[in-house]
Amino acid sequence: QHLSVFQIASELVRLHNTGLAGKLTSQDLTGGTFSLSNIGSIGGTYASPVILAPEVFIGALGKVRVLPRFNEKGEVYPAHVMNVSWSADHRLLDGATVARFSNLWKDYLEHPSRLILDLK
């Protein structure tokens, strides 16, 4: 919670490279409070993520699919759709907080420039 976005990005690169080299340690994989599981990378579209202590929040990201949707005029158009599932420990996070986070996360995905403007 005390790292900048750029510090987090640096650590993600380190973990990615360490993982590619097959040298992740148990310390690299423990102690987090939030996890993302990319089930879409293996073709998955939906999951029910389970929280493992000490984490308090987890997300599962499904495969991006192009599906038919209707616009405000009732016309069909191709839309890129990704199912996302969140699980939270309600002793620490209430459902409204998770819903607000989910809406903000969706907005950042749809409008990346807003994420850049909100960087600290």
Side-chain angles (χ1 to χ4, degrees):
Q1 72 189 21
H2 301 289
L3 300 177
S4 72
V5 170
F6 298 108
Q7 289 170 316
I8 293 169
S10 237
E11 178 63 5
L12 286 173
V13 168
R14 184 194 72 77
L15 288 170
H16 176 78
N17 291 334
T18 304
L20 288 176
K23 296 182 179 180
L24 286 171
T25 66
S26 60
Q27 187 173 353
D28 289 323
L29 302 174
T30 59
T33 56
F34 174 76
S35 288
L36 279 176
S37 180
N38 183 4
I39 62 165
S41 65
I42 57 171
T45 56
Y46 182 81
S48 297
V50 176
I51 302 166
L52 299 175
E55 295 184 350
V56 297
F57 192 56
I58 186 169
L61 310 178
K63 176 182 175 181
V64 176
R65 298 174 292 156
V66 178
L67 298 172
R69 292 295 184 256
F70 293 93
N71 64 19
E72 55 280 344
K73 296 179 184 177
E75 302 163 331
V76 176
Y77 70 97
H80 290 82
V81 177
M82 177 176 63
N83 290 331
V84 178
S85 306
W86 306 110
S87 293
D89 183 338
H90 285 268
R91 294 172 296 179
L92 299 165
L93 295 169
D94 62 72
T97 300
V98 173
R100 282 191 296 275
F101 169 81
S102 185
N103 290 336
L104 180 61
W105 189 81
K106 178 181 181 284
D107 186 64
Y108 284 155
L109 280 181
E110 293 174 344
H111 309 281
S113 60
R114 294 181 188 167
L115 172 63
I116 301 301
L117 292 172
D118 287 346
L119 288 177
K120 293 182 181 179

